[in-house]
Amino acid sequence: MKLTELPLKKIGEVVDIMADPNKKRRLLDLGLTEGTEVIPKRRSPSGDPTAFLIRGTIIALRSEETDLIEVEKK
Amino acid sequence: MSRQQQSTIFSKIDNLDINHEQIRDEMVKDIYDTAEEIAERNIASSEVEKESWGEKFDTLLTSKCLGFPMMLLMLGIVFWVTIVGANYPSAMLAKFLFWIEGHLSNLFVALQAPEWLHGMLIKGVYRTLAWVISVMLPPMAIFFPIFTLLEDLGLLPRVAFNLDNFFKKAGGQW
Amino acid sequence: MGLTAQSSGVNLLRESFNIDGDKNNPVVALAGNPNTGKSTVFNGLTGLKQHTGNWPGKTVTQAKGYYTYLSQEYTVVDLPGTYSLLASSIEEQIARDFICFAQPEVTVVIADATNLERNLNLLLQVTELSERVVLCLNLMDEAERKNIKIDLNGLATDLQVPIVPTIARDEKGLSDLKKVIDKIVNQEVQLDPIKIKYSSKIEEKVEKIVPELNKQFPNLRKNINIRWLALRLLEGDRTIFETLEECYDVNLKNKKVVERRQ
């Protein structure tokens, strides 16, 4: 499933990133390598950016980015 | 570092027949895996997964029903403190600066300075300056430190988190 | 020639980064993730002796400061806070280029002790560029509060870099940091920090390129880490030679200006 669809507080594991090289690299740099655990922590009241716990840090990602990240729900 | 030398290197690399993108991804993964491994070996954390005080506050600040009202309330308080709070120092400053103006005027009279000079320097330059300082300085001296404090407390990133969607939409219209 | 930036080449390169090469101070670069208290460490080290400006040609703020330890003045440069040095943003590029080309005498990686894993990622990338690296574990008080126990000896063994625990907010550990920096600058300690070992597939290719680079550019080894250059070429960075040329070109131009002045 897409990371966008992962419900809050559920653990997902990154399977793949389907973005163009530059975007992919930026996301990898944030620590979203294959097999990384991601937990959506909270969502903006306006619905879009969602804050994720990634390798011990909270990072907010927009849906246009999370749409590109394929995860597996654990 | 001539072009020729460079192209020798590049052709050497091309001969290796590699997918740069794949290599790049693997490198990042190797770096993160090494970091993870070292961290795991040397860190013992008795992690009790409970929501900290700060996290509870975050949830409140970004909640669907309370997020925006809290934000507006916060901003409202900052403005209220700035506007109301600035009145007192403004009044004091004005009183002080105009007390000086009186004395300066007396000085001009005592020196028998011409009226036009007094008008220009005291009634013109000095009075304008005094008004600007007494009206502008206190709000600035209150507003900016509070805003810095909000930033240091991390409240502004939360506001950005809440408002990001609107800004994006506003930007998208251009 | 010691490590105290005697070679005018490095000084001129530093000038091109807005770092006063004429002062001949040892340069200490602070690298670190955002929110690790890097600027607190910077303020703690330099006090009020600071200058802020911009990185040359960039809209990124550059902060530099000075401190004196054992009657030696040091120049401290606060690099932009980044998660990595892979040059995918301007900030990362600045941090990378500075460590790579301005060759600071010491690079201090400031890490958040409560979230070491992510911070080690940056450290591992810095050690690819420079040997003279110190790990400053900041926010030790918060780690304690969160019940995170770090085996400092084990970590030092694994990383092969000096580790200084600090609580920069309370100015704790900063004098230890200065002491370690001093030792490195005076070459009282020899450092050979950990290098990431990539998958054999990548390592094999590195081994093929490194000799070729050494053959084509025999003098480059003095200036930059050849293994690192090979890795960048492997990941398809074709602009790296241009960056190198730019840096050394600036260097040459500056040299001419200096010569004319004399």
Side-chain angles (χ1 to χ4, degrees):
Chain A
M1 60 158 58
K2 285 178 189 166
L3 182 55
T4 323
E5 292 154 4
L6 189 69
L8 289 182
K9 316 274 175 202
K10 292 280 184 284
I11 304 174
E13 215 182 82
V14 178
V15 179
D16 197 10
I17 298 173
M18 291 154 296
D20 65 79
N22 276 336
K23 240 186 220 153
K24 181 168 186 181
R25 175 156 219 196
R26 271 198 43 240
L27 292 169
L28 285 175
D29 285 355
L30 292 177
L32 286 163
T33 57
E34 200 189 308
T36 307
E37 278 188 6
V38 191
I39 308 173
K41 279 287 192 183
R42 55 188 110 256
R43 193 153 279 147
S44 163
S46 59
D48 190 11
T50 306
F52 296 91
L53 181 68
I54 304 165
R55 291 182 189 263
T57 303
I58 304 275
I59 295 175
L61 295 173
R62 288 176 175 167
S63 58
E64 61 206 61
E65 285 144 351
T66 53
D67 277 344
L68 304 167
I69 302 168
E70 187 71 20
V71 294
E72 203 169 84
K73 198 170 146 188
K74 274 184 52 176
Chain B
M1 212 175 275
S2 68
R3 292 274 162 265
Q4 201 200 333
Q5 285 170 313
Q6 286 182 27
S7 53
T8 317
I9 298 282
F10 283 141
S11 65
K12 179 92 181 169
I13 292 166
D14 291 336
N15 282 342
L16 288 173
D17 188 32
I18 40 182
N19 180 341
H20 293 307
E21 247 173 73
Q22 204 185 330
I23 292 253
R24 179 187 288 184
D25 295 357
E26 273 175 37
M27 277 181 191
V28 180
K29 189 168 162 47
D30 286 343
I31 298 170
Y32 265 106
D33 285 350
T34 314
E36 197 177 333
E37 198 187 301
I38 295 172
E40 256 167 33
R41 204 160 38 217
N42 297 299
I43 297 169
S45 67
S46 42
E47 241 180 284
V48 213
E49 261 306 328
K50 60 166 190 220
E51 279 214 326
S52 65
W53 190 85
E55 262 183 81
K56 276 184 193 144
F57 200 63
D58 272 356
T59 311
L60 203 67
L61 270 177
T62 56
S63 81
K64 237 188 174 101
C65 43
L66 279 173
F68 289 121
M70 293 258 301
M71 237 168 56
L72 286 173
L73 186 74
M74 198 177 73
L75 218 63
I77 291 174
V78 171
F79 278 122
W80 184 80
V81 169
T82 305
I83 293 164
V84 176
N87 278 338
Y88 303 98
S90 272
M92 275 163 65
L93 262 177
K95 206 172 152 194
F96 173 68
L97 290 171
F98 289 113
W99 173 77
I100 290 185
E101 189 196 298
H103 282 268
L104 282 174
S105 289
N106 288 344
L107 186 71
F108 270 67
V109 173
L111 290 172
Q112 293 180 325
E115 180 54 34
W116 61 267
L117 189 67
H118 176 251
M120 195 170 78
L121 288 182
I122 303 300
K123 284 191 175 157
V125 176
Y126 183 85
R127 191 172 284 185
T128 314
L129 203 69
W131 271 122
V132 169
I133 288 176
S134 54
V135 172
M136 297 291 286
L137 190 66
M140 286 201 290
I142 294 171
F143 182 78
F144 286 106
I146 296 181
F147 224 67
T148 313
L149 199 70
L150 289 183
E151 183 163 12
D152 286 347
L153 284 172
L155 278 161
L156 295 190
R158 269 83 186 166
V159 171
F161 180 72
N162 287 350
L163 291 180
D164 181 78
N165 211 1
F166 301 114
F167 279 122
K168 202 173 70 184
K169 275 179 193 152
Q173 281 171 359
W174 289 91
Chain C
M1 190 181 77
L3 277 173
T4 35
Q6 237 99 63
S7 62
S8 60
V10 170
N11 277 0
L12 287 168
L13 260 177
R14 286 178 179 170
E15 295 275 1
S16 72
F17 284 99
N18 258 353
I19 304 302
D20 15 42
D22 51 327
K23 275 204 167 190
N24 247 336
N25 289 343
V27 171
V28 179
L30 304 185
N33 290 5
N35 299 320
T36 52
K38 195 158 64 73
S39 47
T40 323
V41 174
F42 179 71
N43 290 336
L45 283 176
T46 60
L48 291 171
K49 290 180 97 178
Q50 308 185 353
H51 289 284
T52 43
N54 275 356
W55 289 92
K58 308 271 167 40
T59 51
V60 180
T61 310
Q62 178 193 56
K64 59 186 173 190
Y66 308 92
Y67 74 85
T68 307
Y69 182 80
L70 299 179
S71 67
Q72 166 72 56
E73 194 183 45
Y74 292 81
T75 301
V76 189
V77 181
D78 194 12
L79 299 175
T82 57
Y83 286 116
S84 85
L85 289 182
L86 298 168
S88 49
S89 69
I90 297 174
E91 285 83 2
E92 289 177 13
Q93 200 194 336
I94 291 171
R96 185 196 80 176
D97 287 353
F98 189 78
I99 299 174
C100 186
F101 301 120
Q103 299 174 16
E105 268 69 19
V106 181
T107 304
V108 180
V109 177
I110 292 147
D112 174 355
T114 65
N115 184 13
L116 200 53
E117 183 190 324
R118 178 175 284 285
N119 291 269
L120 284 181
N121 172 57
L122 180 71
L123 179 98
L124 290 171
Q125 294 179 39
V126 173
T127 56
E128 277 193 334
L129 284 169
S130 171
E131 310 264 280
R132 281 118 46 193
V133 178
V134 179
L135 176 62
C136 166
L137 275 184
N138 197 25
L139 306 174
M140 286 302 280
D141 49 339
E142 268 182 49
E144 202 170 309
R145 201 160 46 236
K146 286 187 179 169
N147 261 322
I148 298 168
K149 290 196 177 59
I150 302 171
D151 177 3
L152 292 176
N153 290 327
L155 198 61
T157 318
D158 278 346
L159 299 172
Q160 291 295 315
V161 298
I163 298 177
V164 184
T166 58
I167 307 169
R169 228 182 337 233
D170 304 337
E171 306 234 326
K172 274 188 190 147
L174 292 180
S175 56
D176 293 336
L177 185 60
K178 286 179 187 174
K179 197 191 283 172
V180 171
I181 292 169
D182 167 71
K183 279 198 172 143
I184 295 173
V185 169
N186 291 315
Q187 288 174 299
E188 283 168 33
V189 277
Q190 280 304 319
L191 297 179
D192 185 18
I194 183 181
K195 296 266 156 35
I196 307 160
K197 195 137 174 35
Y198 293 98
S199 61
S200 50
K201 205 176 102 192
I202 298 177
E203 291 290 345
E204 268 167 33
K205 286 173 180 138
V206 170
E207 272 163 38
K208 277 183 194 148
I209 298 179
V210 166
E212 190 66 26
L213 282 167
N214 278 330
K215 201 174 98 193
Q216 294 290 341
F217 312 116
N219 293 323
L220 207 54
R221 205 177 340 182
K222 277 181 268 170
N223 296 315
I224 71 162
N225 188 319
I226 298 293
R227 178 187 154 85
W228 176 83
L229 180 60
L231 286 165
R232 298 291 77 76
L233 287 166
L234 270 181
E235 59 169 14
D237 186 345
R238 298 236 152 177
T239 59
I240 191 79
F241 284 125
E242 281 162 37
T243 316
L244 281 175
E245 269 175 353
E246 221 171 82
C247 256
Y248 293 107
D249 203 33
V250 166
N251 195 1
L252 288 176
K253 272 183 203 146
N254 277 348
K255 231 178 222 159
K256 274 179 203 141
V257 173
V258 172
E259 272 162 18
R260 224 175 293 143
R261 262 190 228 146
Q262 280 166 354

